[in-house]
Amino acid sequence: GRPLVEDFVCSTAKDAARKVFNQALQGMEMAAFELPLHARTGEKRDILLNTTVRRSPTGEIIGIIGVGQDVTDLKAQKREAEHIAGSLDQLINTAKIPIFGINVQGCATEWNSNAAERCGYSKADIIGRRLVQSIVVSEHQQEVEHRLLKALGGEASSDFE
């Protein structure tokens, strides 16, 4: 066979891979070690690797067994999701209209800069607080609460002031 580390592991991870494999050969197993490998096509594949020792019938360590999962595509999807989330966050924060978000308990989870500018409350002032009780005048709290609960239930609501 061919030497795994020298022939297949990306150069930036060779030392770390050698260390993990040497520790495994001394009986120290490793769970969830990320190992970047070169595929036959030349592309880099990220393998989430667990190592365990291989023993002889007498209990002597004779090698390592590695079980891996290719997480390359999962990592790419995660990066794309983070990019989209960042873009949406930027869109929300730079919108020229007030935008807020609440969770099912009615606590603010989002508060853009326009809402802060118009209402006078910073994002830090609002996030985590019950939105209706914090900023809606008392005579309108019940109506606003009702509409927000309907929206949380998936029911669309027309514009209201």
Side-chain angles (χ1 to χ4, degrees), residues 47-111:
I47 307 300
L48 192 59
L49 185 68
N50 294 304
T51 62
T52 189
V53 296
R54 184 173 175 216
R55 297 182 184 272
S56 71
T58 61
E60 179 186 353
I61 296 174
I62 59 172
I64 301 169
I65 297 173
V67 178
Q69 176 184 1
D70 188 340
V71 294
T72 308
D73 296 337
L74 181 63
K75 286 177 67 177
Q77 291 170 352
K78 183 179 177 187
R79 281 191 303 274
E80 178 64 19
E82 288 169 351
H83 174 72
I84 290 169
S87 296
L88 289 173
D89 195 45
Q90 182 180 6
L91 175 67
I92 288 169
N93 283 321
T94 60
K96 301 296 183 202
I97 58 171
I99 298 175
F100 66 89
I102 61 167
N103 62 19
V104 294
Q105 289 81 30
C107 295
T109 57
E110 186 58 60
W111 187 255

Side-chain angles (χ1 to χ4, degrees), residues 98 111-122 125-126 131 135:
W111 187 255
N112 77 346
S113 57
N114 191 282
E117 183 180 309
R118 291 177 185 266
C119 297
Y121 296 102
S122 72
D125 292 335
I126 294 295
L131 190 67
I135 66 167

